[in-house]
Amino acid sequence: MKVTVVGAGAVGASCAEYIAMKNFCSEVVLVDIKEGFAEGKAMDLMQTASLNGFDTKITGTTGDYSKTAGSHVAVITSGIPRKPGMTREELIGINAGIVKDVTENLVKNSPDVIIIVVSNPMDTMAYLVHKTSGLPKNKIIGMGGALDSARFKYRLAEALEAPISDVDGMVIAAHSDTGMLPLLSKATRNGVPVTEFLSTEKQNYVIEETKVGGATLTKLLGTSAWYAPGAAVSVMVQAIACDQKKMIPCSLMLDGEYGESDICLGVPAIIGANGVEKIVDITLTEEEKAKFAEAAKAVREVNGDLKF
Ligand SMILES: NC(=O)C1=CN([C@@H]2O[C@H](COP(=O)(O)OP(=O)(O)OC[C@H]3O[C@@H](n4cnc5c(N)ncnc54)[C@H](O)[C@@H]3O)[C@@H](O)[C@H]2O)C=CC1
Ligand SMILES: O=C([O-])CC(=O)C(=O)O
């Protein structure tokens, strides 16, 4: 399995590192526009191979997409991250052009590739890849829900004073500060609804902290996060590489599912060798349905700023 990661910055390098450490891929190609940067990151990572015990070959290139030819999966992390005080949506002006250009180069060299979109505003960037790549819709997957769900579980474990391995939960809808929908009604501790253990105040704390998870880290770090984003992407790449058929919330093109069409939004899906094997239809409460529709409205407005 050959994987290309475009953007050798914080998220791209973290993603390449986690993929290599899990030892399920033969090759990872890092691509960046900054001269020598991807080559340097690849060499540094390769020098951890004997220390960390992996055999994945990591190479880097400055914009030579012929080196990415025959990739099974490509991850797009190229573009600018937000700074404290910004929203993800404010990145559209610069990142849309980058994502469109990168997609064209990837598809030219790997016509059967499955693309995982990470660059922000992610739901809109995933939509852009659908509109410009010519790839079938099962081959374009936006990464947001996997990360947001991990942050949800982190906050649930904190509020429950429980180990993270005890908790389960999922976040759907938009990958934005306001449009995220942590499904508290379905979150559990060892199969028992968390609502049995948490006060309303604590439930609200978990929801609000999950939604601003990215903004909280951006404020602390001065730029956005990379470890959990990289790990989340590696889980998705592994689900494809190993045909795991894992259920992961991802930003996918909807065609009537959850009452929406012609929009990419986070919904649970089975991820396997074909990319998206199936969108999973779960029952939402009336309140959750209304929040999902509200998130869709906001993402649709941002999508309206795209020029194809
Ligand atoms: N979907 C999600 O859950 C997450 C999304 N992000 C997004 O991922 C993106 C990357 O974030 P970081 O890695 O922190 O940024 P970064 O600045 O560390 O890395 C971005 C890299 O992209 C490269 N780049 C820019 N234009 C390029 C092009 N045309 N071709 C190839 N490479 C190009 C830059 O040289 C840089 O090395 C941002 O848009 C950020 O908002 C970050 C975390 C989570
Ligand atoms: O917060 C950001 O801008 C980056 C991101 O999407 C995240 O970490 O969730």
Side-chain angles (χ1 to χ4, degrees), residues 220-255:
L220 290 167
L221 296 166
T223 183
S224 54
W226 56 89
Y227 293 121
V233 173
S234 76
V235 165
M236 292 166 65
V237 176
Q238 186 169 17
I240 297 166
C242 304
D243 194 21
Q244 288 175 321
K245 308 207 189 306
K246 270 177 94 73
M247 185 166 85
I248 304 175
C250 304
S251 184
L252 305 177
M253 180 60 96
L254 301 181
D255 186 13

mmCIF file of all heavy atoms in Angstrom, residues 220-255:
data_model
loop_
_atom_site.group_PDB
_atom_site.id
_atom_site.type_symbol
_atom_site.label_atom_id
_atom_site.label_comp_id
_atom_site.label_asym_id
_atom_site.label_seq_id
_atom_site.Cartn_x
_atom_site.Cartn_y
_atom_site.Cartn_z
ATOM 1 N N LEU A 220 -3.695 27.861 22.821
ATOM 2 C CA LEU A 220 -2.555 27.428 23.631
ATOM 3 C C LEU A 220 -1.264 27.340 22.813
ATOM 4 O O LEU A 220 -0.183 27.688 23.290
ATOM 5 C CB LEU A 220 -2.846 26.054 24.259
ATOM 6 C CG LEU A 220 -3.900 26.017 25.360
ATOM 7 C CD1 LEU A 220 -4.310 24.583 25.662
ATOM 8 C CD2 LEU A 220 -3.372 26.690 26.631
ATOM 9 N N LEU A 221 -1.392 26.859 21.579
ATOM 10 C CA LEU A 221 -0.201 26.550 20.781
ATOM 11 C C LEU A 221 0.231 27.696 19.859
ATOM 12 O O LEU A 221 1.358 27.696 19.367
ATOM 13 C CB LEU A 221 -0.467 25.306 19.911
ATOM 14 C CG LEU A 221 -0.727 23.991 20.655
ATOM 15 C CD1 LEU A 221 -1.318 22.942 19.715
ATOM 16 C CD2 LEU A 221 0.564 23.467 21.273
ATOM 17 N N GLY A 222 -0.676 28.633 19.578
ATOM 18 C CA GLY A 222 -0.364 29.713 18.629
ATOM 19 C C GLY A 222 -0.615 29.285 17.182
ATOM 20 O O GLY A 222 -0.578 30.090 16.260
ATOM 21 N N THR A 223 -0.858 28.022 16.971
ATOM 22 C CA THR A 223 -1.251 27.451 15.671
ATOM 23 C C THR A 223 -2.115 26.244 16.007
ATOM 24 O O THR A 223 -2.213 25.875 17.178
ATOM 25 C CB THR A 223 -0.031 27.056 14.816
ATOM 26 O OG1 THR A 223 -0.467 26.577 13.542
ATOM 27 C CG2 THR A 223 0.804 25.953 15.482
ATOM 28 N N SER A 224 -2.721 25.620 14.983
ATOM 29 C CA SER A 224 -3.637 24.535 15.354
ATOM 30 C C SER A 224 -2.894 23.229 15.662
ATOM 31 O O SER A 224 -1.695 23.103 15.414
ATOM 32 C CB SER A 224 -4.723 24.372 14.288
ATOM 33 O OG SER A 224 -4.179 24.197 13.017
ATOM 34 N N ALA A 225 -3.652 22.281 16.177
ATOM 35 C CA ALA A 225 -3.093 21.023 16.702
ATOM 36 C C ALA A 225 -2.588 20.108 15.589
ATOM 37 O O ALA A 225 -2.963 20.266 14.437
ATOM 38 C CB ALA A 225 -4.190 20.308 17.486
ATOM 39 N N TRP A 226 -1.743 19.134 15.962
ATOM 40 C CA TRP A 226 -1.262 18.172 14.958
ATOM 41 C C TRP A 226 -1.208 16.727 15.441
ATOM 42 O O TRP A 226 -1.420 15.808 14.659
ATOM 43 C CB TRP A 226 0.101 18.592 14.401
ATOM 44 C CG TRP A 226 1.178 18.786 15.428
ATOM 45 C CD1 TRP A 226 2.040 17.833 15.903
ATOM 46 C CD2 TRP A 226 1.520 20.010 16.097
ATOM 47 N NE1 TRP A 226 2.891 18.394 16.842
ATOM 48 C CE2 TRP A 226 2.603 19.732 16.972
ATOM 49 C CE3 TRP A 226 1.017 21.319 16.045
ATOM 50 C CZ2 TRP A 226 3.184 20.703 17.792
ATOM 51 C CZ3 TRP A 226 1.604 22.282 16.865
ATOM 52 C CH2 TRP A 226 2.667 21.970 17.716
ATOM 53 N N TYR A 227 -0.962 16.465 16.734
ATOM 54 C CA TYR A 227 -0.824 15.054 17.143
ATOM 55 C C TYR A 227 -2.138 14.292 16.937
ATOM 56 O O TYR A 227 -2.160 13.265 16.255
ATOM 57 C CB TYR A 227 -0.410 14.935 18.615
ATOM 58 C CG TYR A 227 0.980 15.434 18.916
ATOM 59 C CD1 TYR A 227 1.190 16.470 19.827
ATOM 60 C CD2 TYR A 227 2.099 14.859 18.309
ATOM 61 C CE1 TYR A 227 2.461 16.924 20.113
ATOM 62 C CE2 TYR A 227 3.377 15.317 18.598
ATOM 63 C CZ TYR A 227 3.555 16.358 19.506
ATOM 64 O OH TYR A 227 4.812 16.806 19.787
ATOM 65 N N ALA A 228 -3.223 14.781 17.555
ATOM 66 C CA ALA A 228 -4.506 14.070 17.419
ATOM 67 C C ALA A 228 -5.012 14.087 15.967
ATOM 68 O O ALA A 228 -5.515 13.062 15.485
ATOM 69 C CB ALA A 228 -5.548 14.635 18.384
ATOM 70 N N PRO A 229 -4.848 15.214 15.230
ATOM 71 C CA PRO A 229 -5.236 15.171 13.813
ATOM 72 C C PRO A 229 -4.455 14.096 13.031
ATOM 73 O O PRO A 229 -5.033 13.335 12.257
ATOM 74 C CB PRO A 229 -4.898 16.583 13.309
ATOM 75 C CG PRO A 229 -5.033 17.452 14.530
ATOM 76 C CD PRO A 229 -4.549 16.610 15.676
ATOM 77 N N GLY A 230 -3.139 14.029 13.261
ATOM 78 C CA GLY A 230 -2.322 13.022 12.559
ATOM 79 C C GLY A 230 -2.762 11.614 12.917
ATOM 80 O O GLY A 230 -2.871 10.732 12.048
ATOM 81 N N ALA A 231 -3.034 11.389 14.199
ATOM 82 C CA ALA A 231 -3.467 10.056 14.651
ATOM 83 C C ALA A 231 -4.824 9.702 14.040
ATOM 84 O O ALA A 231 -5.052 8.559 13.628
ATOM 85 C CB ALA A 231 -3.536 10.021 16.174
ATOM 86 N N ALA A 232 -5.714 10.691 13.968
ATOM 87 C CA ALA A 232 -7.058 10.439 13.404
ATOM 88 C C ALA A 232 -6.947 10.034 11.933
ATOM 89 O O ALA A 232 -7.612 9.093 11.479
ATOM 90 C CB ALA A 232 -7.929 11.687 13.560
ATOM 91 N N VAL A 233 -6.086 10.722 11.190
ATOM 92 C CA VAL A 233 -5.909 10.361 9.775
ATOM 93 C C VAL A 233 -5.338 8.945 9.674
ATOM 94 O O VAL A 233 -5.778 8.139 8.844
ATOM 95 C CB VAL A 233 -4.969 11.362 9.050
ATOM 96 C CG1 VAL A 233 -4.681 10.868 7.636
ATOM 97 C CG2 VAL A 233 -5.567 12.753 9.008
ATOM 98 N N SER A 234 -4.378 8.619 10.531
ATOM 99 C CA SER A 234 -3.748 7.292 10.437
ATOM 100 C C SER A 234 -4.771 6.176 10.687
ATOM 101 O O SER A 234 -4.690 5.114 10.071
ATOM 102 C CB SER A 234 -2.556 7.173 11.394
ATOM 103 O OG SER A 234 -2.993 6.999 12.729
ATOM 104 N N VAL A 235 -5.734 6.423 11.561
ATOM 105 C CA VAL A 235 -6.791 5.433 11.814
ATOM 106 C C VAL A 235 -7.625 5.224 10.533
ATOM 107 O O VAL A 235 -7.977 4.104 10.173
ATOM 108 C CB VAL A 235 -7.689 5.894 12.990
ATOM 109 C CG1 VAL A 235 -8.996 5.114 13.048
ATOM 110 C CG2 VAL A 235 -6.927 5.749 14.309
ATOM 111 N N MET A 236 -7.910 6.329 9.836
ATOM 112 C CA MET A 236 -8.703 6.222 8.602
ATOM 113 C C MET A 236 -7.929 5.514 7.499
ATOM 114 O O MET A 236 -8.467 4.676 6.775
ATOM 115 C CB MET A 236 -9.152 7.623 8.154
ATOM 116 C CG MET A 236 -10.172 8.225 9.118
ATOM 117 S SD MET A 236 -10.441 9.988 8.891
ATOM 118 C CE MET A 236 -11.158 10.025 7.272
ATOM 119 N N VAL A 237 -6.628 5.855 7.374
ATOM 120 C CA VAL A 237 -5.803 5.202 6.340
ATOM 121 C C VAL A 237 -5.691 3.713 6.644
ATOM 122 O O VAL A 237 -5.799 2.875 5.740
ATOM 123 C CB VAL A 237 -4.397 5.855 6.255
ATOM 124 C CG1 VAL A 237 -3.518 5.102 5.260
ATOM 125 C CG2 VAL A 237 -4.495 7.322 5.871
ATOM 126 N N GLN A 238 -5.540 3.367 7.913
ATOM 127 C CA GLN A 238 -5.429 1.943 8.280
ATOM 128 C C GLN A 238 -6.741 1.194 7.990
ATOM 129 O O GLN A 238 -6.716 0.047 7.546
ATOM 130 C CB GLN A 238 -5.057 1.795 9.761
ATOM 131 C CG GLN A 238 -4.784 0.342 10.138
ATOM 132 C CD GLN A 238 -4.154 0.180 11.508
ATOM 133 O OE1 GLN A 238 -4.188 1.082 12.329
ATOM 134 N NE2 GLN A 238 -3.570 -0.975 11.746
ATOM 135 N N ALA A 239 -7.865 1.863 8.233
ATOM 136 C CA ALA A 239 -9.164 1.218 7.959
ATOM 137 C C ALA A 239 -9.285 0.867 6.471
ATOM 138 O O ALA A 239 -9.827 -0.174 6.109
ATOM 139 C CB ALA A 239 -10.305 2.137 8.380
ATOM 140 N N ILE A 240 -8.724 1.752 5.621
ATOM 141 C CA ILE A 240 -8.754 1.493 4.168
ATOM 142 C C ILE A 240 -7.719 0.410 3.821
ATOM 143 O O ILE A 240 -8.031 -0.586 3.167
ATOM 144 C CB ILE A 240 -8.460 2.795 3.378
ATOM 145 C CG1 ILE A 240 -9.547 3.844 3.652
ATOM 146 C CG2 ILE A 240 -8.333 2.500 1.883
ATOM 147 C CD1 ILE A 240 -9.204 5.249 3.202
ATOM 148 N N ALA A 241 -6.498 0.609 4.297
ATOM 149 C CA ALA A 241 -5.395 -0.303 3.938
ATOM 150 C C ALA A 241 -5.688 -1.736 4.369
ATOM 151 O O ALA A 241 -5.372 -2.681 3.649
ATOM 152 C CB ALA A 241 -4.095 0.190 4.588
ATOM 153 N N CYS A 242 -6.274 -1.883 5.541
ATOM 154 C CA CYS A 242 -6.505 -3.231 6.096
ATOM 155 C C CYS A 242 -7.953 -3.669 5.923
ATOM 156 O O CYS A 242 -8.377 -4.654 6.526
ATOM 157 C CB CYS A 242 -6.087 -3.262 7.574
ATOM 158 S SG CYS A 242 -4.382 -2.760 7.832
ATOM 159 N N ASP A 243 -8.723 -2.927 5.120
ATOM 160 C CA ASP A 243 -10.129 -3.245 4.848
ATOM 161 C C ASP A 243 -10.876 -3.589 6.150
ATOM 162 O O ASP A 243 -11.573 -4.606 6.228
ATOM 163 C CB ASP A 243 -10.214 -4.418 3.846
ATOM 164 C CG ASP A 243 -11.617 -4.573 3.263
ATOM 165 O OD1 ASP A 243 -12.390 -3.592 3.307
ATOM 166 O OD2 ASP A 243 -11.937 -5.681 2.788
ATOM 167 N N GLN A 244 -10.725 -2.693 7.131
ATOM 168 C CA GLN A 244 -11.267 -3.000 8.468
ATOM 169 C C GLN A 244 -12.778 -2.842 8.575
ATOM 170 O O GLN A 244 -13.380 -3.336 9.511
ATOM 171 C CB GLN A 244 -10.589 -2.094 9.518
ATOM 172 C CG GLN A 244 -9.144 -2.453 9.791
ATOM 173 C CD GLN A 244 -8.486 -1.462 10.733
ATOM 174 O OE1 GLN A 244 -8.718 -0.252 10.652
ATOM 175 N NE2 GLN A 244 -7.653 -1.952 11.620
ATOM 176 N N LYS A 245 -13.359 -2.073 7.681
ATOM 177 C CA LYS A 245 -14.799 -1.785 7.739
ATOM 178 C C LYS A 245 -15.188 -1.215 9.111
ATOM 179 O O LYS A 245 -16.154 -1.635 9.750
ATOM 180 C CB LYS A 245 -15.623 -3.028 7.381
ATOM 181 C CG LYS A 245 -15.178 -3.652 6.051
ATOM 182 C CD LYS A 245 -16.274 -4.405 5.357
ATOM 183 C CE LYS A 245 -15.812 -5.198 4.153
ATOM 184 N NZ LYS A 245 -15.077 -4.463 3.146
ATOM 185 N N LYS A 246 -14.365 -0.266 9.549
ATOM 186 C CA LYS A 246 -14.635 0.413 10.822
ATOM 187 C C LYS A 246 -15.706 1.479 10.619
ATOM 188 O O LYS A 246 -15.754 2.099 9.553
ATOM 189 C CB LYS A 246 -13.347 1.126 11.304
ATOM 190 C CG LYS A 246 -12.456 0.275 12.179
ATOM 191 C CD LYS A 246 -11.191 1.041 12.521
ATOM 192 C CE LYS A 246 -11.282 1.765 13.832
ATOM 193 N NZ LYS A 246 -11.219 0.867 14.992
ATOM 194 N N MET A 247 -16.507 1.713 11.635
ATOM 195 C CA MET A 247 -17.471 2.822 11.551
ATOM 196 C C MET A 247 -16.799 4.084 12.104
ATOM 197 O O MET A 247 -16.422 4.129 13.276
ATOM 198 C CB MET A 247 -18.741 2.526 12.334
ATOM 199 C CG MET A 247 -19.771 3.639 12.134
ATOM 200 S SD MET A 247 -21.420 3.195 12.689
ATOM 201 C CE MET A 247 -21.321 3.600 14.396
ATOM 202 N N ILE A 248 -16.614 5.055 11.214
ATOM 203 C CA ILE A 248 -15.921 6.297 11.580
ATOM 204 C C ILE A 248 -16.766 7.467 11.073
ATOM 205 O O ILE A 248 -17.187 7.453 9.905
ATOM 206 C CB ILE A 248 -14.515 6.344 10.917
ATOM 207 C CG1 ILE A 248 -13.692 5.094 11.288
ATOM 208 C CG2 ILE A 248 -13.765 7.622 11.301
ATOM 209 C CD1 ILE A 248 -12.342 4.997 10.587
ATOM 210 N N PRO A 249 -17.008 8.477 11.893
ATOM 211 C CA PRO A 249 -17.704 9.648 11.339
ATOM 212 C C PRO A 249 -16.762 10.437 10.426
ATOM 213 O O PRO A 249 -15.654 10.787 10.822
ATOM 214 C CB PRO A 249 -18.093 10.457 12.584
ATOM 215 C CG PRO A 249 -17.200 9.972 13.678
ATOM 216 C CD PRO A 249 -16.708 8.608 13.321
ATOM 217 N N CYS A 250 -17.205 10.672 9.194
ATOM 218 C CA CYS A 250 -16.372 11.355 8.191
ATOM 219 C C CYS A 250 -17.244 12.352 7.441
ATOM 220 O O CYS A 250 -18.455 12.177 7.369
ATOM 221 C CB CYS A 250 -15.867 10.358 7.151
ATOM 222 S SG CYS A 250 -14.977 8.970 7.807
ATOM 223 N N SER A 251 -16.596 13.347 6.838
ATOM 224 C CA SER A 251 -17.348 14.317 6.054
ATOM 225 C C SER A 251 -17.530 13.759 4.640
ATOM 226 O O SER A 251 -16.569 13.633 3.880
ATOM 227 C CB SER A 251 -16.603 15.655 6.019
ATOM 228 O OG SER A 251 -17.387 16.612 5.346
ATOM 229 N N LEU A 252 -18.770 13.426 4.304
ATOM 230 C CA LEU A 252 -19.048 12.743 3.040
ATOM 231 C C LEU A 252 -20.117 13.481 2.243
ATOM 232 O O LEU A 252 -20.963 14.167 2.822
ATOM 233 C CB LEU A 252 -19.540 11.317 3.333
ATOM 234 C CG LEU A 252 -18.607 10.465 4.194
ATOM 235 C CD1 LEU A 252 -19.232 9.112 4.462
ATOM 236 C CD2 LEU A 252 -17.237 10.303 3.543
ATOM 237 N N MET A 253 -20.057 13.305 0.921
ATOM 238 C CA MET A 253 -21.076 13.904 0.063
ATOM 239 C C MET A 253 -22.408 13.210 0.316
ATOM 240 O O MET A 253 -22.509 11.989 0.205
ATOM 241 C CB MET A 253 -20.654 13.741 -1.402
ATOM 242 C CG MET A 253 -21.620 14.325 -2.374
ATOM 243 S SD MET A 253 -21.849 16.104 -2.143
ATOM 244 C CE MET A 253 -20.709 16.761 -3.348
ATOM 245 N N LEU A 254 -23.409 13.993 0.688
ATOM 246 C CA LEU A 254 -24.713 13.421 1.017
ATOM 247 C C LEU A 254 -25.658 13.526 -0.182
ATOM 248 O O LEU A 254 -25.615 14.503 -0.943
ATOM 249 C CB LEU A 254 -25.302 14.129 2.234
ATOM 250 C CG LEU A 254 -24.436 14.046 3.509
ATOM 251 C CD1 LEU A 254 -25.118 14.764 4.666
ATOM 252 C CD2 LEU A 254 -24.128 12.602 3.888
ATOM 253 N N ASP A 255 -26.456 12.504 -0.332
ATOM 254 C CA ASP A 255 -27.430 12.480 -1.427
ATOM 255 C C ASP A 255 -28.767 12.037 -0.823
ATOM 256 O O ASP A 255 -29.269 10.971 -1.104
ATOM 257 C CB ASP A 255 -26.930 11.498 -2.499
ATOM 258 C CG ASP A 255 -27.812 11.518 -3.738
ATOM 259 O OD1 ASP A 255 -28.644 12.442 -3.866
ATOM 260 O OD2 ASP A 255 -27.674 10.597 -4.558
#
